[in-house]
Amino acid sequence: MIETIAGIGMSPLEILLLLGVVALLSSRWCPPPARRPVALAAAAVVALSGSVLTVRGLRWQLAPALAGVLVALAFAVPVLAGRPAWPVRRWLTLPGVVVCLGLVCASAAAAWAVPVPVFPGPSGPYAVGTAVMQWTDTSRPEPATDEPGDHRTVVVQLWYPAPKGTAGPRARYLGRTEREARTVADGLTGYIGVPAFLLDDAVRARTGAVYDVPAAAGRFPIVLFSPGLGGVRTQNTAWAEELAGRGYVVAALDHPYDSAAVVLDDGRTIRTRVVATGDDEEDRRLATGWTAVRAADLSFVLTQLGRLDRGEIRGPLTGRLDTARAAATGHSIGGGAALRAARQDSRFAAVIDLDGYPYDPAPQPYHQPVLALTHPVDPADNPSYIPRLTRIIALSTSESYRITVPGAAHLTFADAPLYLPPVPSVVGSLGRTGGLSVTTAATRAFLDATLSDKPGDLATLLRPYGDLAVHRPEPKDDGDRD
C-alpha cells in the first residue's frame, strides 16, 4: 500500500503521475532544444510511476488521468520520436488541452473527495493494541433464525492500551484480513446502495493499532460500543483508538443479521436482514425489536469481559479490565440500545448516545449519567427526536448532558468523514477530522469524570463543544425522606 498525504488524498507517486501527464502534454510547446528531453523525461515518469502504482494496486480515482495520458500522447508522439511536431488545427488544440487537463483535475478531485482514510495516531500516553473475539450466548436463541440450537453469537473487537513503543504491522480498517475487509466493504455498499468501488480505499486503509500485543500494566475502564443500523464494529475506529491511547478499553460489537456483513471464525458471512418497510409505524416496531437484541448483546459482552479479565477466556487482557467502571455507548440506533442496556443492566456506570433515537418501549428511571451528542435537528424534519431523547435523558437520576454540535450531520460522529465525499448533509461541515476531535474530546471529558473520577466541572468542560443542555435530577421533597 502507498500512503496518501492527508488533506490531498494522493500519494507522492500519484502526484508524480499527474505532473508527468501535464509535462507530457506541455512538451510540444517547449523551446525546440528542450522539447524532446522534456517529453522523454515526462514519458519516463508516467511509465515508471504508473507501473509501480499498477503493481501496488491502482486506485479507481486515477482512471481519468490514465485516459489523459492518451490525449497527451497524441500531442507528444512526434516529439518523442524526434520529428517535428505534426500540425494540429487550432480548433482542435484548445479542446484537446482542456480535455487532458480536465481529466487530470478529475483524478485529483476524486482522490481528494474519496481518499484512503488516514487515522490519526493516538495522542495519549499509550500505544494501542487490538484483538477480535467471537462469543456465543448459549442462554439466548438467535432471534433472526428458526434453526434449532442456533444461539446468539457476536463478534467483538477490542482496542486497549499497550506499552508506549509497541511496534508491529498496523491493523487493517475493515477486517482482520484483506478478504474480510473486502467482504465487509461489499456488505456496506450493498446495504447503502452505492457502487462498491467507493469503499476500495477503506479496504486498503491501515489504522494505528497492532493486533494481539500485550496490554499495558494497570486496570482500565471499559467502553462498550454498538454501531449504527447496518453498521459494523469498526465504524468508529479512530474514536476507539484515541480512547485506548488515553487508558480505556473499547469493545465494539458486530450484531449479526443487523450489521451489514459479519465474518465469523469459521469463514461464514452473515449478511444483514435489516430492511426498512417504508411504513413509519412498522419501522418503529422493528427498530424497537432490534434495539432490544442489541441491548442484550451489550450486557452479554460485559459479562464475557468479566470472564476475560478473570482468565476464563484466553486473551491479552487478563487482569486488565475494571468491569465496575463500564460505559454503554453507541451511534444512531446503537445509542438507543446503549440507553436501553443501561436501564436494564445496573452494571453499566455511564451512557453515551451518539445521535441515537431511543426506542425503549417501557422507559423507566435509571441511575447512570448520560451524555448525548446530536446534530442540529430541524423540528420540521423530525419533530419527535429531540423531545423523545430529552424525556429519556430526564429519567436519569444522575446529572446528564445533551450537546447539539454545530456543523454536524448524522455521520459526523463516526469515521465516515475520513473517507466519504465532504458533502455537508452527509458528513457535516467540520472537515475530515473536526467531528472526530469534537466527539473524542467531549466523550473523553465525560468518561474521565464518570468512570475515572477526574476533578473538574463537567458542564464547564463540555460547553465548548456545542449547545449544551444540562439535565439535573429533581430534588426529593422533605416529605419523601425517611
Side-chain angles (χ1 to χ4, degrees), residues 220-225 239-240 242-244 246-251 325-330 348-354 369-371 401 439-455 458 461-462:
F220 303 106
I222 304 168
V223 180
L224 287 86
F225 178 77
W239 171 78
E242 178 62 19
L243 290 181
R246 292 285 178 172
Y248 293 89
V249 173
V250 180
R325 295 186 293 160
T329 74
F348 290 109
V351 188
I352 295 175
D353 175 9
L354 300 178
V370 178
L371 172 65
Y401 312 87
T439 303
T440 301
T443 55
R444 186 162 64 84
F446 177 76
L447 292 169
D448 286 349
T450 56
L451 299 187
S452 299
D453 297 323
K454 292 189 178 179
L458 189 49
L461 294 173
L462 294 175

Side-chain angles (χ1 to χ4, degrees), residues 172 174-186 203 263 267 269:
R172 290 183 178 275
L174 290 178
R176 289 161 284 188
T177 64
E178 182 177 359
R179 182 177 180 180
E180 180 179 1
R182 171 54 60 193
T183 299
V184 171
D186 290 346
V203 173
V263 179
T269 298

Side-chain angles (χ1 to χ4, degrees), residues 126 129 133 158-163 213-223 244 247-250 302 304-326:
Y126 298 102
M133 307 282 181
L158 306 171
W159 290 269
Y160 55 89
V213 295
R219 293 180 69 82
F220 303 106
I222 304 168
V223 180
Y248 293 89
V249 173
V250 180
L302 182 57
Q304 294 298 95
L305 291 173
R307 297 183 61 212
L308 180 63
D309 178 65
R310 294 189 297 272
E312 298 171 16
I313 299 174
R314 293 184 60 184
L317 292 170
T318 298
R320 296 288 183 263
L321 299 172
D322 188 347
T323 55
R325 295 186 293 160

Side-chain angles (χ1 to χ4, degrees), residues 13-26:
L13 204 57
E14 291 170 337
I15 295 171
L16 193 62
L17 174 65
L18 299 192
L19 293 176
V21 176
V22 174
L24 189 61
L25 174 69
S26 306

Side-chain angles (χ1 to χ4, degrees), residues 10 13-29 38-39 41-50 53 62-76 96-105 107:
M10 304 188 78
L13 204 57
E14 291 170 337
I15 295 171
L16 193 62
L17 174 65
L18 299 192
L19 293 176
V21 176
V22 174
L24 189 61
L25 174 69
S26 306
S27 62
R28 176 189 176 91
W29 292 278
V38 169
V45 166
V46 170
L48 289 173
S49 58
L53 290 170
L62 294 180
L66 296 179
V69 171
L70 300 178
V71 179
L73 282 173
F75 288 92
V97 171
V98 170
V99 167
C100 184
L101 294 179
L103 291 169
V104 170
C105 291
S107 278

Side-chain angles (χ1 to χ4, degrees), residues 55 194 452:
V55 170
V194 298
S452 299

